[in-house]
Amino acid sequence: MDLEYRLDGPANAPVLVLSNSLGTTWTMWDAQFTDFNKYFRVLRYNTRGHGNSPLNGGKMSLASLGKDVIDLMNHLNIEKASFCGISLGGMTGMWLNRHYPNHFNRLVVANTAAKIGDTDAWLTRAKTVRTEGMQSVADGSASRWFTKDYIRARPGIVDALVDGIEQLDPLGYAACCEVLAYADLREEVAKMERPMLVIAGEHDPVTTLAEAEWIIERASDAQICLVPASHLSNIACPVMFSRQTLNYLTSGATHVIND
């Protein structure tokens, strides 16, 4: 198994798999880790092309990213887990729900959509990064990820994430842009069997509330939770995100906390 991963927490606890967004690493879950670790053995991994997870030498797809998760679980002898992913990680979770439902209990998919963005725009971004490097996308990442108020209030957190995207391998980032260019689950959502909580950011310009509502209207067992955030809602609203996620994954309730 060549993916970079960490498995932390009580050995006898159920497993929770965390999947990061495009342009981030497993450190994006730092604010959730302590709370999640109280209930779960937490499996974090870096998506291919991020951190020290290498590209696989072939053309990547949403299916290959999903199969990476299954291969990692098999490598660690994990028969069943819960799942939480954001953005690209959320799409990965939905793909797993459709194709490997028996491997998962419940899934939380945040700031995601059945089809994220425009194919040509993703391909253009991939080409730009390959020719001009990561600075070409790092400069605009903060405004995609966070509201203006959050950027003013938490400059240290924002700057650290922007520095992180600057350090990524351009080829790895570009490959994942191409995954998003062609990833399309709009015909698959109605066939997703496992329960899902869809977390949407009230101010998210990348994956909107309307796109989250589109998912829950078509999935067989899905709920929605709206948080006052932009695209990286787990970082902007860490307490609310953790509480909503844990409530959904651990209680089996038919509703989520709203406060």
Side-chain angles (χ1 to χ4, degrees):
M1 168 49 62
D2 59 353
L3 284 185
E4 184 179 27
Y5 70 88
R6 286 196 58 168
L7 183 61
D8 299 284
N12 60 346
V15 174
L16 170 60
V17 180
L18 299 179
S19 186
N20 52 287
S21 67
L22 175 71
T24 66
T25 65
W26 64 33
T27 60
M28 77 170 302
W29 300 107
D30 284 354
Q32 279 72 50
F33 181 73
T34 299
D35 287 335
F36 286 177
N37 227 197
K38 294 175 183 177
Y39 300 89
F40 292 98
R41 189 160 170 78
V42 178
L43 175 57
R44 291 171 289 173
Y45 74 97
N46 281 325
T47 303
R48 290 199 182 275
H50 293 65
N52 291 318
S53 289
L55 296 176
N56 59 10
K59 187 174 178 61
M60 296 198 309
S61 66
L62 188 61
S64 70
L65 296 185
K67 289 174 183 175
D68 277 341
V69 176
I70 299 302
D71 289 344
L72 180 57
M73 290 173 65
N74 289 339
H75 174 72
L76 296 169
N77 296 313
I78 298 169
E79 294 182 3
K80 204 162 193 177
S82 296
F83 184 96
C84 180
I86 192 163
S87 193
L88 174 58
M91 281 198 90
T92 302
M94 288 193 289
W95 186 91
L96 291 166
N97 191 350
R98 170 67 182 94
H99 295 280
Y100 288 88
N102 293 336
H103 285 66
F104 298 94
N105 297 306
R106 289 181 162 212
L107 302 94
V108 176
V109 296
N111 302 90
T112 196
K115 168 67 177 172
I116 299 178
D118 177 75
T119 297
D120 289 341
W122 285 119
L123 294 177
T124 298
R125 189 188 297 190
K127 182 178 179 180
T128 299
V129 166
R130 283 195 172 99
T131 57
E132 300 178 18
M134 292 304 301
Q135 192 65 46
S136 62
V137 294
D139 291 339
S141 59
S143 62
R144 292 190 295 270
W145 286 343
F146 301 109
T147 64
K148 292 180 180 178
D149 287 345
Y150 186 87
I151 293 170
R152 284 194 295 266
R154 298 287 188 272
I157 293 175
V158 174
D159 289 347
L161 285 160
V162 173
D163 288 344
I165 197 171
E166 290 175 352
Q167 301 305 313
L168 290 179
D169 175 14
L171 297 181
Y173 183 91
C176 287
C177 287
E178 290 167 346
V179 168
L180 285 166
Y182 297 109
D184 190 344
L185 295 171
R186 286 175 291 188
E187 298 298 321
E188 306 289 334
V189 171
K191 301 172 185 176
M192 295 175 186
E193 299 177 13
R194 303 306 300 153
M196 290 191 299
L197 175 64
V198 183
I199 297 179
E202 183 179 356
H203 309 293
D204 189 349
V206 181
T207 53
T208 64
L209 172 60
E211 289 172 306
E213 291 173 334
W214 190 96
I215 294 170
I216 66 164
E217 288 169 1
R218 290 160 177 80
S220 61
D221 187 354
Q223 303 174 37
I224 193 167
C225 169
L226 182 63
V227 297
S230 186
H231 192 57
L232 296 189
S233 62
N234 72 308
I235 296 174
C237 298
V239 175
M240 181 180 289
F241 188 100
S242 296
R243 188 179 181 194
Q244 297 284 1
T245 298
L246 287 172
N247 180 72
Y248 185 74
L249 294 179
T250 64
S251 71
T254 58
H255 63 280
V256 293
I257 301 167
N258 290 302
D259 61 3

